[in-house]
Amino acid sequence: MTDEITALQHFDDASLDAAFTTLADEVRTTAAATASTDPEAFRLHWLGRKQGRLKLISEAWLKSAPPEAKKALGIRFNQLKQQIEATLEAPASAPAKSAVQGIDITLPGTLRTPGIPHPLLKTMHEIVSVFHHLGYSTNLGPQVESDFYNFEALNFPENHPARDTQDTLVIAAQQSRPSRDRLLMRTHTSPVQIRTMIASAPPIRIVIPGKVHRNDAADATHSPIFHQIEGLCVDTNITFSDLKGTLDHAMKALFGSDVKTRFFPSFFPFTEPSADVQISCIFCGGKGCRKCKHSGWIELLGCGMVDPAVFAAVTAERRKLDPADDAHNPEKITGFAFGMGVERIAMIQHGISDIGYFYSGDMRFLEQFA
Ligand code: DAH
């Protein structure tokens, strides 16, 4: 460490570079000796306001420098200062033996937030898992679907209101195609029932989670894109009691064993008879509150026994490949189906009042499900 300040004789670039290289080396030498063990001594030595070496040298050299060299000198002093500051800020770059002393263990660590499943996915997994435990497997289908699978094979009459373009988002430029081949965004997961039955003979036990689309205006309970889980069970001797027992079990598994279910007559073109399933209000236990509109019950899903017309449509398709196919003959087999809205169930599970939260990407909302 040299303390005396040698006056500069020459101010051309080469001489300045040489002088500053010596100083940079000196910074490195003093850094190796003190920067990590005693950073304050290192700082005072170089940057001290009154006796700091940088200050003394710059005063001495600038004083004797010709005016045209002052800029070149200034630039080099700034670089030197940056080198000294960088040495002070980076204790980790100091020699290994003293690096440990450079770590301030009282500083907060770098927080890494691991990703979590989206609340809708979480609810989907929960529902699917309840049915996996009953021996169901999972099927998926396309979101861009044909009129045949989405409506025709599901026994929707030609002028059923659900086919109306008010509800259904259709793919453009399909008019030249036969009506059964026209493409649309699927309005429900039920078309995958048809795809599954065309592909496989009974016994069938599947759940179908997925995205569906409707030309609905978004409000607190509607979204043009939402999620459903469909179920289908087809075998010999499947009865309405099996449907009731299965869904009663599923609702208890999802909402707690105190929950009661009741089945209300309803209508869907692809089931006969059809029912809406209600559960006793999980907020008031059935006494009646604002959430259940003082009825004590919350409507949760649609279901029913597979309509023979659906089996007939499936059989007609399968016979195109095997004219003798009789696997879905409604005289021999029966089945039940059900469909539920994932958003609606997640909203009830978590007491969420606006469906829009699911799609907002607002971390304050999403973090609550971590
Ligand atoms: N697909 C119906 C809908 O989107 C829901 C549904 C009702 C599905 C009854 C079913 C069922 O499988 O049996 O409104």
Side-chain angles (χ1 to χ4, degrees), residues 156 187-190 193 214 226 228-231 268 270-271 274-275 301-305 336-340:
F156 278 81
T187 58
H188 51 177
T189 42
S190 306
Q193 286 188 32
R214 287 192 197 167
F226 60 104
Q228 289 187 335
I229 293 183
E230 188 86 11
F268 300 100
F270 41 91
T271 44
S274 305
L301 65 143
C303 66
M305 302 305 290
F336 64 74
F338 55 87
M340 55 190 107

Short mmCIF file of all heavy atoms in Angstrom, two decimals, residues 156 187-190 193 214 226 228-231 268 270-271 274-275 301-305 336-340, ligand 1:
data_model
loop_
_atom_site.label_atom_id
_atom_site.label_comp_id
_atom_site.label_asym_id
_atom_site.label_seq_id
_atom_site.Cartn_x
_atom_site.Cartn_y
_atom_site.Cartn_z
N PHE A 156 -81.33 -33.51 -29.56
CA PHE A 156 -81.85 -32.14 -29.60
C PHE A 156 -82.63 -32.00 -30.91
O PHE A 156 -82.06 -32.20 -31.98
CB PHE A 156 -80.72 -31.11 -29.60
CG PHE A 156 -80.16 -30.82 -28.24
CD1 PHE A 156 -79.23 -31.67 -27.67
CD2 PHE A 156 -80.53 -29.68 -27.55
CE1 PHE A 156 -78.67 -31.41 -26.43
CE2 PHE A 156 -79.98 -29.40 -26.30
CZ PHE A 156 -79.05 -30.27 -25.73
N THR A 187 -71.16 -26.50 -26.50
CA THR A 187 -71.89 -25.75 -25.48
C THR A 187 -71.97 -26.53 -24.17
O THR A 187 -72.41 -26.00 -23.16
CB THR A 187 -73.32 -25.45 -25.96
OG1 THR A 187 -73.97 -26.70 -26.26
CG2 THR A 187 -73.31 -24.58 -27.21
N HIS A 188 -71.55 -27.79 -24.21
CA HIS A 188 -71.52 -28.62 -23.00
C HIS A 188 -70.55 -29.79 -23.22
O HIS A 188 -70.04 -29.96 -24.34
CB HIS A 188 -72.92 -29.11 -22.61
CG HIS A 188 -73.70 -29.77 -23.72
ND1 HIS A 188 -74.94 -30.32 -23.54
CD2 HIS A 188 -73.44 -29.97 -25.04
CE1 HIS A 188 -75.40 -30.82 -24.66
NE2 HIS A 188 -74.50 -30.62 -25.60
N THR A 189 -70.28 -30.55 -22.17
CA THR A 189 -69.35 -31.68 -22.31
C THR A 189 -70.09 -32.95 -22.74
O THR A 189 -69.46 -33.98 -23.00
CB THR A 189 -68.58 -31.93 -20.99
OG1 THR A 189 -69.50 -31.82 -19.90
CG2 THR A 189 -67.45 -30.95 -20.82
N SER A 190 -71.42 -32.88 -22.84
CA SER A 190 -72.21 -34.08 -23.19
C SER A 190 -71.80 -34.74 -24.52
O SER A 190 -71.94 -35.96 -24.64
CB SER A 190 -73.70 -33.75 -23.19
OG SER A 190 -74.07 -33.17 -21.96
N GLN A 193 -69.97 -37.92 -24.30
CA GLN A 193 -70.73 -39.17 -24.04
C GLN A 193 -70.86 -39.95 -25.34
O GLN A 193 -70.63 -41.17 -25.37
CB GLN A 193 -72.17 -38.84 -23.59
CG GLN A 193 -72.33 -38.31 -22.20
CD GLN A 193 -73.84 -38.24 -21.85
OE1 GLN A 193 -74.64 -39.05 -22.30
NE2 GLN A 193 -74.20 -37.26 -21.04
N ARG A 214 -70.45 -20.55 -24.48
CA ARG A 214 -71.82 -20.11 -24.83
C ARG A 214 -71.82 -18.63 -25.08
O ARG A 214 -71.06 -17.88 -24.46
CB ARG A 214 -72.80 -20.43 -23.70
CG ARG A 214 -73.07 -21.91 -23.63
CD ARG A 214 -74.22 -22.27 -22.76
NE ARG A 214 -74.14 -23.70 -22.44
CZ ARG A 214 -74.84 -24.30 -21.52
NH1 ARG A 214 -75.71 -23.62 -20.81
NH2 ARG A 214 -74.69 -25.60 -21.31
N PHE A 226 -66.74 -21.47 -19.72
CA PHE A 226 -66.73 -22.00 -18.35
C PHE A 226 -66.42 -23.49 -18.41
O PHE A 226 -66.00 -23.99 -19.47
CB PHE A 226 -68.04 -21.67 -17.62
CG PHE A 226 -69.29 -22.22 -18.25
CD1 PHE A 226 -69.93 -23.34 -17.71
CD2 PHE A 226 -69.85 -21.63 -19.36
CE1 PHE A 226 -71.09 -23.85 -18.27
CE2 PHE A 226 -71.02 -22.13 -19.95
CZ PHE A 226 -71.63 -23.24 -19.40
N GLN A 228 -67.24 -27.66 -17.27
CA GLN A 228 -68.21 -28.65 -16.79
C GLN A 228 -67.51 -29.96 -16.52
O GLN A 228 -66.42 -30.22 -17.04
CB GLN A 228 -69.27 -28.91 -17.87
CG GLN A 228 -70.24 -27.77 -18.09
CD GLN A 228 -71.37 -28.16 -19.04
OE1 GLN A 228 -71.23 -29.05 -19.87
NE2 GLN A 228 -72.51 -27.49 -18.90
N ILE A 229 -68.17 -30.78 -15.70
CA ILE A 229 -67.74 -32.17 -15.60
C ILE A 229 -68.97 -33.03 -15.88
O ILE A 229 -70.03 -32.85 -15.28
CB ILE A 229 -67.14 -32.49 -14.22
CG1 ILE A 229 -65.82 -31.73 -14.07
CG2 ILE A 229 -66.91 -34.00 -14.07
CD1 ILE A 229 -65.08 -32.00 -12.80
N GLU A 230 -68.80 -33.90 -16.84
CA GLU A 230 -69.85 -34.78 -17.30
C GLU A 230 -69.58 -36.16 -16.74
O GLU A 230 -68.41 -36.52 -16.51
CB GLU A 230 -69.74 -34.84 -18.84
CG GLU A 230 -70.86 -35.55 -19.52
CD GLU A 230 -72.02 -34.60 -19.80
OE1 GLU A 230 -71.83 -33.37 -19.63
OE2 GLU A 230 -73.09 -35.09 -20.15
N GLY A 231 -70.61 -36.93 -16.52
CA GLY A 231 -70.39 -38.32 -16.10
C GLY A 231 -71.28 -39.23 -16.93
O GLY A 231 -72.37 -38.83 -17.36
N PHE A 268 -84.01 -32.84 -19.97
CA PHE A 268 -82.90 -32.71 -20.91
C PHE A 268 -83.23 -33.64 -22.08
O PHE A 268 -83.77 -34.73 -21.85
CB PHE A 268 -81.57 -33.11 -20.26
CG PHE A 268 -81.21 -32.27 -19.07
CD1 PHE A 268 -81.44 -32.73 -17.77
CD2 PHE A 268 -80.68 -30.99 -19.23
CE1 PHE A 268 -81.14 -31.94 -16.67
CE2 PHE A 268 -80.38 -30.20 -18.14
CZ PHE A 268 -80.61 -30.67 -16.85
N PHE A 270 -81.49 -35.56 -23.80
CA PHE A 270 -80.71 -36.81 -23.90
C PHE A 270 -80.89 -37.72 -22.70
O PHE A 270 -80.25 -38.76 -22.60
CB PHE A 270 -79.23 -36.48 -24.10
CG PHE A 270 -78.75 -35.33 -23.25
CD1 PHE A 270 -78.22 -35.56 -22.00
CD2 PHE A 270 -78.85 -34.02 -23.71
CE1 PHE A 270 -77.80 -34.51 -21.21
CE2 PHE A 270 -78.43 -32.96 -22.91
CZ PHE A 270 -77.91 -33.20 -21.67
N THR A 271 -81.74 -37.34 -21.73
CA THR A 271 -82.03 -38.23 -20.60
C THR A 271 -83.54 -38.33 -20.40
O THR A 271 -84.28 -37.37 -20.61
CB THR A 271 -81.37 -37.72 -19.30
OG1 THR A 271 -81.58 -36.31 -19.19
CG2 THR A 271 -79.89 -38.02 -19.27
N SER A 274 -85.33 -37.14 -16.49
CA SER A 274 -84.25 -36.22 -16.13
C SER A 274 -84.53 -35.63 -14.76
O SER A 274 -85.69 -35.56 -14.33
CB SER A 274 -84.15 -35.08 -17.14
OG SER A 274 -84.02 -35.57 -18.46
N ALA A 275 -83.46 -35.20 -14.10
CA ALA A 275 -83.63 -34.59 -12.77
C ALA A 275 -82.60 -33.50 -12.54
O ALA A 275 -81.51 -33.52 -13.12
CB ALA A 275 -83.50 -35.66 -11.69
N LEU A 301 -76.72 -29.68 -10.09
CA LEU A 301 -76.39 -30.34 -11.35
C LEU A 301 -77.61 -30.98 -12.00
O LEU A 301 -78.66 -31.13 -11.36
CB LEU A 301 -75.29 -31.40 -11.16
CG LEU A 301 -75.57 -32.62 -10.30
CD1 LEU A 301 -74.90 -33.83 -10.90
CD2 LEU A 301 -75.07 -32.40 -8.91
N GLY A 302 -77.42 -31.36 -13.27
CA GLY A 302 -78.48 -32.04 -14.01
C GLY A 302 -78.08 -33.49 -14.23
O GLY A 302 -76.90 -33.83 -14.29
N CYS A 303 -79.08 -34.36 -14.34
CA CYS A 303 -78.77 -35.78 -14.54
C CYS A 303 -79.99 -36.52 -15.09
O CYS A 303 -81.05 -35.91 -15.28
CB CYS A 303 -78.33 -36.41 -13.21
SG CYS A 303 -79.65 -36.45 -11.98
N GLY A 304 -79.83 -37.78 -15.33
CA GLY A 304 -80.97 -38.58 -15.77
C GLY A 304 -80.51 -39.91 -16.34
O GLY A 304 -79.32 -40.21 -16.38
N MET A 305 -81.50 -40.70 -16.77
CA MET A 305 -81.21 -41.99 -17.40
C MET A 305 -81.04 -41.76 -18.91
O MET A 305 -81.85 -41.06 -19.52
CB MET A 305 -82.35 -42.99 -17.15
CG MET A 305 -82.66 -43.25 -15.68
SD MET A 305 -81.22 -43.79 -14.73
CE MET A 305 -80.95 -45.44 -15.41
N PHE A 336 -76.86 -44.07 -16.87
CA PHE A 336 -77.22 -42.73 -16.39
C PHE A 336 -76.12 -41.76 -16.75
O PHE A 336 -74.97 -42.16 -17.04
CB PHE A 336 -77.53 -42.71 -14.88
CG PHE A 336 -76.36 -43.05 -13.97
CD1 PHE A 336 -75.32 -42.15 -13.75
CD2 PHE A 336 -76.34 -44.28 -13.30
CE1 PHE A 336 -74.27 -42.47 -12.89
CE2 PHE A 336 -75.29 -44.60 -12.44
CZ PHE A 336 -74.25 -43.69 -12.24
N ALA A 337 -76.48 -40.47 -16.78
CA ALA A 337 -75.52 -39.42 -17.10
C ALA A 337 -75.76 -38.25 -16.16
O ALA A 337 -76.84 -38.11 -15.59
CB ALA A 337 -75.69 -38.98 -18.55
N PHE A 338 -74.74 -37.44 -15.99
CA PHE A 338 -74.92 -36.22 -15.18
C PHE A 338 -73.93 -35.17 -15.66
O PHE A 338 -72.94 -35.50 -16.33
CB PHE A 338 -74.71 -36.51 -13.68
CG PHE A 338 -73.39 -37.16 -13.36
CD1 PHE A 338 -72.24 -36.40 -13.14
CD2 PHE A 338 -73.28 -38.55 -13.29
CE1 PHE A 338 -71.02 -37.01 -12.85
CE2 PHE A 338 -72.06 -39.16 -12.99
CZ PHE A 338 -70.93 -38.39 -12.77
N GLY A 339 -74.25 -33.93 -15.38
CA GLY A 339 -73.35 -32.85 -15.78
C GLY A 339 -73.41 -31.73 -14.76
O GLY A 339 -74.48 -31.38 -14.26
N MET A 340 -72.22 -31.19 -14.41
CA MET A 340 -72.20 -30.12 -13.42
C MET A 340 -71.25 -29.01 -13.83
O MET A 340 -70.30 -29.23 -14.57
CB MET A 340 -71.83 -30.66 -12.04
CG MET A 340 -70.53 -31.42 -11.97
SD MET A 340 -70.35 -32.25 -10.38
CE MET A 340 -70.63 -33.95 -10.81
N1 DAH B 1 -75.37 -30.84 -20.70
C1 DAH B 1 -76.23 -30.21 -19.72
C2 DAH B 1 -76.01 -28.70 -19.77
O1 DAH B 1 -75.01 -28.24 -20.22
C3 DAH B 1 -75.92 -30.72 -18.35
C4 DAH B 1 -76.37 -32.12 -18.17
C5 DAH B 1 -77.63 -32.42 -17.72
C6 DAH B 1 -75.54 -33.18 -18.50
C7 DAH B 1 -78.08 -33.69 -17.55
C8 DAH B 1 -75.97 -34.48 -18.35
C9 DAH B 1 -77.26 -34.72 -17.87
O2 DAH B 1 -75.22 -35.51 -18.65
O3 DAH B 1 -77.68 -36.01 -17.73
O4 DAH B 1 -76.85 -27.98 -19.31
#
